[in-house]
Amino acid sequence: MTKNLLEFLFSKRILVSGGNEPTANQFEIIFTLSSTYNIKIIEGAEYADREMVTLASYMLGRMVPEPFYTGFPESVKKLSKDEFLYDQLLHYALTYGLGCFGTGSKHSVFEEKFERLAFDEEVTPLEFRIIKNEAALPLIFEMADEMMEATRPLSPVQYDVLLTLIREHGYKARSCASKNTAIRLLADTRDARYAKYINMAAVIDLLDEINYRDYKNENIKKLNLKNKDRKFITAILDIMFADGKYNVADCLEKKKVWCGLLHHIHYVPKCEAAKIFLSAVRGKTERSVYSDFEAALAEGDVRRATDVLRDYKGASALLRRLDHLISRCKNEEDIAYVLDRLDSPGIISLLQMIEKYSAPDASERTFMFTKHSLLKIHKETSEEVQKRGTYIGENTAEYIKMALIQMLGDTLRARLGRVYIDEDMKSIALPIHEASSMGGFGALPRGSRIHIDDMKKIRAFTYWEKVDDVDLAVIGLDELNVEHEFSWRTYARNKTEGICFSGDEVNGYDGGSEFFDIDTEAVLKEFPDMEYLIFTNNVYSGVPFCDCVCRAGYMVRDKLDTGEIFELKTVKSSFNVNCESTMAYIFAIDLKRSDLVWLNVADDSDSIVGATESVAFLRRYLTATDALNLGNIFAMMAKEIVESPEDADVVLSDKNVKVREGAMQIRSYDYEKIMSIIEAKM
């Protein structure tokens, strides 16, 4: 089984035996997994083998290099602000001034030698099960089926697993609910059979995918495709016309792009349908659905605009234009009419809009969307604010949100039988924003929360190779969205009891690391107005993360910690930062509630300094579980909520609980199964 499949199963707390027979030295292997990596085998211990130790070492962290301050955090706390400043000036003068990067780390000249005590902290074991090799592939095939049933774009890790199964293990999809997934598969496999899962309008999205992936060109209006790509797109168009899968009205929204494509590939129609289509997109008289929609709004006829969109584009399209319509309603009757026409919208669209209306419009809005596995962000300019014709007040937003929640409840009601819901699952977000997420051990749906015990602190980390300088930084966000930078360049003047930094490592080509210790109670004492601390990772050397080797994550440590800086037993998450960008947002800490909030956002940015871009847009994710979480969604789907997992048909819990035979247990990292259940057609 390939490495990426083993890593994917590891993230699901599953290890795969290399053989199907019990191996020798099981005791030593099980002992090593427990004593070194804190992994407790709860099933299949007799099939443990040495490769599992190698995989655990890679997934959780192995041979992590020392940071700039080798005695971190104790030695750092003893240094004065002047010593920090001198260290900084000398370090930068040698490296960026004189170009003395060299090999290996360069360390502080003021730090005293520090001897560590042996590790002596209480840790909760990570529960894993071992399955036989023969059982692994059918299990991943089942997960692949669930991926293909999801309407949301897959994360890069999920898609990589799917592509491996198709190319190397003969996986054949029974369906494909996501246009995005079908387009990516068409671009990668060049298997025209996936064309049956898209419509004619999506051919432009396929063109965009090929243009970006193979030609590194984001301007779809400037094409220079090779002959093989022209032939492939021509073949897709021929299939569409032959199957009658074309809708002229859908394609008129991008007439110029269509005309450019047809000209570029020298398309020659082979049937009457193709001739009609070409005549329409090249003509001047045909109007798109959105043209009629905007015309109705311009005339002040909100109800006709609603009908045009609902009748020709469907309820989900209407839902996506809800702001546009509601802001132009003249009275409550108009609002009621618009909401009444939202019959049977897509569940994912409902979830997204409920989340949106849970955070009312700010004076300057931030728009976010994912493209090519990166989060693209646009902040409204002052000119755009003045021209804006759409504004939804708090009261209206609350009214719409409650109406949408009622629709969601009606749609999901009684899908499942008796359900047991662990209280912790009410802090886990829905996995609907994972398209720009990177994968690895301990990754959770964006917006998920993990409570930090009063006697614990968070140690954030990043370590890397094949590039000199990666920076881990912290940005504080207060109640007024004022941002406060905590990084080494500000450390000499901003030293605080609650935030301790291991120093800026700039000689990391052969291995570098940086760490932050956060004591939430101490931070709040000094900064009582601070709400969040947001961790960013950026490549100061200017190359994208995908061109180096970088991992990031966090540990939970005692406030008075013992053991090494990177203590494997305390690692709660470790994931690859491998996006085609120089900037990523790792996670946040909610200081008021003492929660870690999972972010894992690959940002479409070429910024090389973490504090130069505003992080206020992340508030959307920081409050995600207040409106929607796994707990309340599964409560909507339950016929009955039971108090004991042994009485349930469905158990929602990360714990190793006793489940009756035939019942299903769902954990926070079972993204594929969660979405399959939520989106199942009833």
Side-chain angles (χ1 to χ4, degrees):
M1 184 169 289
T2 55
K3 186 170 178 283
N4 66 326
L5 298 184
L6 292 174
E7 291 174 9
F8 181 68
L9 288 175
F10 189 95
S11 71
K12 309 290 185 185
R13 313 301 193 271
I14 297 171
L15 293 165
V16 180
S17 172
N20 294 319
E21 298 298 327
T23 58
N25 304 319
Q26 288 144 2
F27 175 79
E28 290 88 344
I29 295 167
I30 296 297
F31 179 79
T32 301
L33 288 171
S34 175
S35 61
T36 305
Y37 303 102
N38 196 34
I39 290 176
K40 176 183 177 182
I41 304 301
I42 60 173
E43 183 183 323
E46 66 272 23
Y47 295 104
D49 62 42
R50 294 186 183 280
E51 293 303 315
M52 295 173 186
V53 176
T54 304
L55 180 62
S57 175
Y58 171 75
M59 294 298 288
L60 296 176
R62 174 179 57 186
M63 303 294 290
V64 177
E66 289 183 329
F68 181 78
Y69 290 113
T70 59
F72 168 84
E74 286 81 357
S75 63
V76 176
K77 294 175 182 177
K78 296 177 182 178
L79 296 173
S80 68
K81 290 186 176 182
D82 285 342
E83 287 171 322
F84 281 128
L85 181 59
Y86 294 146
D87 262 339
Q88 185 181 35
L89 293 174
L90 179 60
H91 193 38
Y92 286 164
L94 288 172
T95 52
Y96 288 105
L98 299 178
C100 300
F101 289 93
T103 59
S105 296
K106 293 181 174 65
H107 300 292
S108 167
V109 296
F110 297 104
E111 184 183 18
E112 296 178 5
K113 287 190 176 181
F114 177 81
E115 289 192 17
R116 299 185 184 280
L117 300 174
F119 180 70
D120 185 26
E121 294 184 23
E122 190 173 329
V123 291
T124 303
L126 306 169
E127 295 180 338
F128 276 68
R129 61 191 177 99
I130 299 174
I131 62 174
K132 296 180 183 180
N133 188 54
E134 64 184 17
L137 206 55
L139 179 61
I140 302 184
F141 270 35
E142 184 181 327
M143 294 178 185
D145 286 342
E146 292 165 346
M147 290 180 201
M148 296 297 279
E149 291 166 3
T151 61
R152 293 292 294 150
L154 301 177
S155 73
V157 167
Q158 289 174 314
Y159 181 74
D160 183 49
V161 166
L162 184 63
L163 199 56
T164 298
L165 293 177
I166 291 169
R167 285 175 167 171
E168 300 186 25
H169 298 282
Y171 172 75
K172 289 182 172 56
R174 298 194 300 261
S175 64
C176 183
S178 168
K179 178 188 74 172
N180 178 275
T181 300
I183 287 167
R184 291 162 80 180
L185 288 173
L186 278 166
D188 278 318
T189 67
R190 300 305 168 104
D191 185 341
R193 286 176 294 182
Y194 292 108
K196 66 183 178 182
Y197 301 119
I198 64 173
N199 58 23
M200 181 65 84
V203 171
I204 297 301
D205 298 312
L206 173 61
L207 172 66
D208 184 47
E209 185 76 12
I210 292 172
N211 198 37
Y212 174 80
R213 183 180 305 183
D214 295 347
Y215 300 90
K216 301 303 177 187
N217 179 10
E218 293 192 62
N219 188 349
I220 200 172
K221 294 180 180 179
K222 293 185 178 180
L223 297 174
N224 189 24
L225 303 180
K226 293 179 181 177
N227 196 43
K228 64 174 184 176
D229 294 319
R230 296 181 187 185
K231 288 182 177 180
F232 178 63
I233 292 176
T234 298
I236 297 298
L237 290 175
D238 289 342
I239 290 171
M240 293 283 188
F241 290 126
D243 292 346
K245 290 186 64 178
Y246 67 96
N247 184 322
V248 174
D250 283 347
C251 299
L252 291 174
E253 295 155 24
K254 296 182 178 179
K255 286 181 67 171
K256 289 184 179 180
V257 178
W258 270 108
C259 288
L261 170 63
L262 295 169
H263 174 74
H264 186 70
I265 64 176
H266 308 298
Y267 187 74
V268 177
K270 298 180 178 65
C271 62
E272 190 62 29
K275 293 177 183 177
I276 294 171
F277 180 85
L278 264 65
S279 175
V281 296
R282 288 170 173 166
K284 297 181 178 180
T285 57
E286 297 282 352
R287 291 166 57 87
S288 71
V289 172
Y290 285 110
S291 296
D292 292 339
F293 170 74
E294 292 293 348
L297 284 181
E299 294 169 8
D301 194 339
V302 173
R303 299 191 185 196
R304 183 164 70 85
T306 300
D307 292 339
V308 166
L309 206 54
R310 176 64 182 85
D311 293 341
Y312 292 97
K313 285 289 189 178
S316 291
L318 182 58
L319 196 59
R320 289 192 292 271
R321 296 295 190 283
L322 208 52
D323 271 10
H324 211 48
L325 287 162
I326 295 294
S327 62
R328 288 161 175 78
C329 288
K330 298 170 185 174
N331 47 51
E332 291 184 4
E333 287 75 18
D334 279 350
I335 294 177
Y337 183 86
V338 174
L339 295 178
D340 282 345
R341 293 239 58 194
L342 280 172
D343 55 308
S344 303
I347 290 174
I348 297 301
S349 297
L350 267 176
L351 293 171
Q352 291 174 315
M353 296 305 288
I354 290 169
E355 183 182 80
K356 176 189 183 308
Y357 286 110
S358 298
D361 284 342
S363 57
E364 292 182 353
R365 297 178 297 185
T366 300
F367 300 95
M368 296 176 284
F369 63 97
T370 300
K371 191 171 184 180
H372 307 307
S373 298
L374 294 172
L375 185 71
K376 295 182 181 287
I377 303 159
H378 172 70
K379 186 174 181 180
E380 222 173 14
T381 64
S382 55
E383 291 80 10
E384 288 171 334
V385 172
Q386 291 176 352
K387 293 178 181 178
R388 187 204 301 173
T390 301
Y391 181 80
I392 304 295
E394 286 191 31
N395 291 337
T396 304
E398 182 66 19
Y399 172 74
I400 296 171
K401 181 184 79 171
M402 297 312 296
L404 296 179
I405 289 174
Q406 180 65 47
M407 280 183 213
L408 181 65
D410 292 342
T411 305
L412 296 178
R413 183 169 293 117
R415 288 190 168 200
L416 305 175
R418 294 171 296 177
V419 179
Y420 170 80
I421 301 173
D422 190 307
E423 194 66 25
D424 290 345
M425 303 301 269
K426 296 175 183 178
S427 298
I428 304 298
L430 298 169
I432 58 176
H433 297 297
E434 307 314 303
S436 61
S437 292
M438 295 155 285
F441 175 75
L444 288 170
R446 189 172 300 161
S448 296
R449 289 174 167 263
I450 301 143
H451 190 66
I452 306 167
D453 187 272
D454 290 343
M455 300 305 294
K456 299 286 186 178
K457 66 183 176 185
I458 293 294
R459 177 165 297 168
F461 65 82
T462 190
Y463 61 94
W464 67 92
E465 295 176 10
K466 308 302 180 186
V467 70
D468 287 315
D469 193 355
V470 172
D471 289 331
L472 184 66
V474 177
I475 301 170
L477 192 65
D478 68 18
E479 297 165 354
L480 300 176
N481 282 344
V482 176
E483 298 178 13
H484 309 262
E485 180 186 353
F486 299 95
S487 65
W488 206 40
R489 68 177 185 170
T490 65
Y491 208 54
R493 65 177 184 270
N494 286 346
K495 187 182 179 186
T496 170
E497 286 294 315
I499 301 175
C500 189
F501 181 43
S502 67
D504 188 12
E505 176 61 79
V506 303
N507 300 85
Y509 192 87
D510 293 320
S513 66
E514 293 185 8
F515 300 82
F516 267 100
D517 267 7
I518 306 295
D519 180 339
T520 57
E521 186 179 11
V523 174
L524 269 180
K525 280 183 181 177
E526 191 165 353
F527 302 97
D529 295 330
M530 198 84 73
E531 284 190 307
Y532 297 100
L533 295 176
I534 295 169
F535 289 78
T536 67
N537 222 18
N538 61 274
V539 188
Y540 187 75
S541 298
V543 301
F545 280 109
C546 60
D547 288 345
C548 60
V549 178
C550 183
R551 292 182 79 86
Y554 75 96
M555 293 171 265
V556 176
R557 304 294 294 263
D558 287 349
K559 288 187 179 180
L560 298 173
D561 62 296
T562 58
E564 295 299 319
I565 299 175
F566 194 89
E567 186 61 60
L568 278 168
K569 283 189 174 183
T570 63
V571 173
K572 296 298 182 183
S573 175
S574 178
F575 66 96
N576 287 318
V577 186
N578 54 6
C579 52
E580 294 185 14
S581 168
T582 57
M583 175 66 69
Y585 300 95
I586 309 302
F587 55 80
I589 291 177
D590 184 333
L591 294 168
K592 306 292 186 182
R593 292 159 64 174
S594 196
D595 286 346
L596 182 140
V597 188
W598 194 254
L599 292 175
N600 190 4
V601 177
D603 185 19
D604 180 29
S605 170
D606 57 4
S607 174
I608 62 172
V609 179
T612 56
E613 297 185 357
S614 174
V615 298
F617 75 93
L618 292 166
R619 280 188 179 273
R620 170 183 178 180
Y621 305 124
L622 298 174
T623 58
T625 56
D626 293 346
L628 295 169
N629 57 66
L630 279 189
N632 60 24
I633 290 297
F634 272 76
M636 289 181 186
M637 293 190 288
K639 285 184 180 177
E640 179 186 355
I641 297 175
V642 296
E643 298 296 320
S644 169
E646 295 183 58
D647 298 329
D649 302 310
V650 176
V651 174
L652 190 65
S653 175
D654 280 338
K655 299 183 178 70
N656 182 29
V657 296
K658 189 173 182 181
V659 177
R660 68 175 180 79
E661 188 176 351
M664 178 194 301
Q665 181 168 358
I666 299 170
R667 298 171 175 84
S668 59
Y669 43 81
D670 291 332
Y671 296 4
E672 300 78 21
K673 192 171 294 297
I674 290 166
M675 296 311 297
S676 176
I677 291 171
I678 291 174
E679 293 195 82
K681 291 180 172 60
M682 302 300 288

